[in-house]
Amino acid sequence: MPARRADARRNVGKLLDAADAAFRDHGTGAPLEPIARRAGVAIGTLYGHFPNRRALARALLRERHDALFARGDRLAEDPPGPALAAWIRAVAEHAAVYGGLAEMLAAGLDDEASELHDDCARMSALTDRLLARAHAAGAVRPEVTSSDVLTLTTAAAWTRAQSAAQADRLLDHALRGMLAP
Amino acid sequence: MPARRADARRNVGKLLDAADAAFRDHGTGAPLEPIARRAGVAIGTLYGHFPNRRALARALLRERHDALFARGDRLAEDPPGPALAAWIRAVAEHAAVYGGLAEMLAAGLDDEASELHDDCARMSALTDRLLARAHAAGAVRPEVTSSDVLTLTTAAAWTRAQSAAQADRLLDHALRGMLAP
DNA sequence: ATGTTTCCCGAGGCACCCTCAGTTTAGCGA
DNA sequence: TCGCTAAACTGAGGGTGCCTCGGGAAACAT
């Protein structure tokens, strides 16, 4: 794979900047034409680099996801119960950077073809691992499954898009019901 | 307000039938043109009766909401704790008849101009009432607010659109964390 | 300087939304 | 039964957004 042309690299950068601004302001459903325009590029160029909205989101989230996964790995050293809780909160907070991201990630978990699938799978694996640790330590009620945790996480992420404070309270209550009595 | 013409009444009926089918199959975001076509009517006729998608949804939900509110009133006679839990489950289940309805209702609660606002406000009032009763009976933890319950309800409703079983489990856990220890 | 390859451009086809000027028709009164 | 009129219906068309693809431009190697 030879190096990309300089103009291509420049344009990708400008597109990502414009897309980040647009997604922050209007969610992941923001129209793509204005993004291209703002990047000083034609719409075809955008599609040339990113075949679809998910691919664009994936590129935007790359570093952010790396940081999140690193955080998850670090948490695997902390006390199991609090670590699991912290992880859930971290993911929920992350998924709220862009409105609509929670839905996108939830869909990406099921859809093998999604550009976000790998990242979602990694999040899921990390959740499994942290939950298993918590189970081993007796920090969570035995009936809590990995799906339960994932469901709570996406639900909280979705809620966070509307009200961060309410999402935190939802997590407070639900975690109280999941952690060992 | 004089009685509507017979053809208008007929068409409204056919439109509602077609819309119900389409919303069940494709969610509240289903294209409206096919609905009109399926009802044997031009697109303009649909808009003549329902100025927007929300108005159509409102009409579809009318009886269903009446039944839900009646259920809520009846629950106000039952033991407070279980009544509150049953109410939350009932609303969550209701909001899952059509994909996307949870979002629509959540938006309708905030948006005064929404055709669904009144219904949402009634649901909210009923929630307040059932929660107040539960508080009075000491059946819920004191820090649980009405917003908390509403948040949980919409989150569960949203989850239900993806997996009914997971939504039920989410409610199990969250309610355990909200009800008195 | 030239050739090749990569990249960019943007008009245009598609889907859906919603409106409104013109046409049809139900229902009423003579 | 026959107009008449208000109510209802129609569907072309303008707006927005998605995405493609053939032709043109620009980078880079030689």
Side-chain angles (χ1 to χ4, degrees):
Chain A
M1 187 202 296
R4 282 144 111 187
R5 252 168 54 176
D7 54 347
R9 229 174 317 119
R10 239 186 349 256
N11 285 337
V12 166
K14 286 192 286 183
L15 280 167
L16 289 176
D17 287 349
D20 180 62
F23 281 12
R24 278 179 196 279
D25 289 352
H26 308 115
T28 55
L32 301 183
E33 261 107 348
I35 292 177
R37 205 178 320 129
R38 183 159 175 174
V41 130
I43 183 64
T45 300
L46 187 157
Y47 279 97
H49 290 296
F50 309 104
N52 56 49
R53 189 176 292 278
R54 284 190 312 271
L56 183 54
R58 171 70 225 285
L60 239 23
L61 295 172
R62 176 137 242 164
E63 299 94 19
R64 189 174 274 278
H65 276 179
D66 284 345
L68 186 67
F69 300 147
R71 175 89 196 279
D73 287 336
R74 260 182 283 120
L75 283 170
E77 310 298 323
D78 289 4
L84 178 63
W87 169 246
I88 295 175
R89 288 182 195 280
V91 175
E93 186 170 350
H94 159 67
V97 249
Y98 304 138
L101 181 55
E103 284 89 337
M104 227 181 198
L105 292 176
L109 194 54
D110 299 327
D111 180 6
E112 297 263 346
S114 169
E115 283 76 3
L116 290 163
H117 181 74
D118 286 356
D119 287 18
C120 293
R122 257 184 96 177
M123 276 183 226
S124 170
L126 225 24
T127 302
D128 283 359
R129 187 165 141 219
L130 289 165
L131 176 63
R133 261 182 21 113
H135 268 312
V140 247
R141 301 179 84 97
E143 73 269 29
V144 174
T145 68
S146 172
S147 290
D148 291 351
V149 175
L150 231 39
T151 298
L152 172 59
T153 308
T154 49
W158 180 75
T159 299
R160 216 161 208 290
Q162 296 156 316
S163 160
Q166 276 307 318
D168 286 342
R169 293 183 63 88
L170 175 63
L171 284 174
D172 287 341
H173 297 309
L175 283 170
R176 194 184 307 119
M178 285 182 167
L179 297 178
Chain B
M1 186 207 292
R4 283 144 110 187
R5 251 167 57 172
D7 54 346
R9 228 173 318 120
R10 241 190 344 260
N11 285 337
V12 166
K14 285 192 285 185
L15 281 167
L16 289 176
D17 286 349
D20 181 62
F23 281 12
R24 278 179 196 279
D25 289 351
H26 308 114
T28 54
L32 301 182
E33 261 107 346
I35 293 177
R37 203 177 323 128
R38 183 161 175 172
V41 131
I43 183 64
T45 301
L46 187 156
Y47 280 97
H49 290 296
F50 308 104
N52 56 48
R53 191 177 289 277
R54 283 191 313 271
L56 183 54
R58 170 72 224 286
L60 281 175
L61 295 172
R62 177 137 244 164
E63 299 94 17
R64 191 173 272 278
H65 277 179
D66 284 345
L68 186 66
F69 300 146
R71 174 88 196 281
D73 287 337
R74 262 182 282 118
L75 282 171
E77 310 298 323
D78 289 3
L84 178 63
W87 169 246
I88 295 175
R89 287 181 194 281
V91 176
E93 186 170 350
H94 158 69
V97 247
Y98 303 138
L101 182 55
E103 284 89 336
M104 226 181 197
L105 292 175
L109 193 54
D110 300 325
D111 179 8
E112 297 264 345
S114 168
E115 283 76 2
L116 290 162
H117 181 74
D118 287 356
D119 287 18
C120 293
R122 258 185 95 179
M123 276 184 226
S124 170
L126 224 25
T127 302
D128 284 358
R129 185 163 143 220
L130 289 165
L131 175 63
R133 266 186 10 119
H135 269 311
V140 248
R141 301 178 83 96
E143 73 268 29
V144 173
T145 69
S146 172
S147 290
D148 291 351
V149 176
L150 230 38
T151 298
L152 172 60
T153 308
T154 48
W158 179 74
T159 299
R160 216 162 210 289
Q162 297 157 316
S163 160
Q166 277 306 319
D168 287 341
R169 293 183 63 89
L170 175 62
L171 284 174
D172 286 342
H173 297 308
L175 283 170
R176 194 184 309 119
M178 284 183 168
L179 297 177

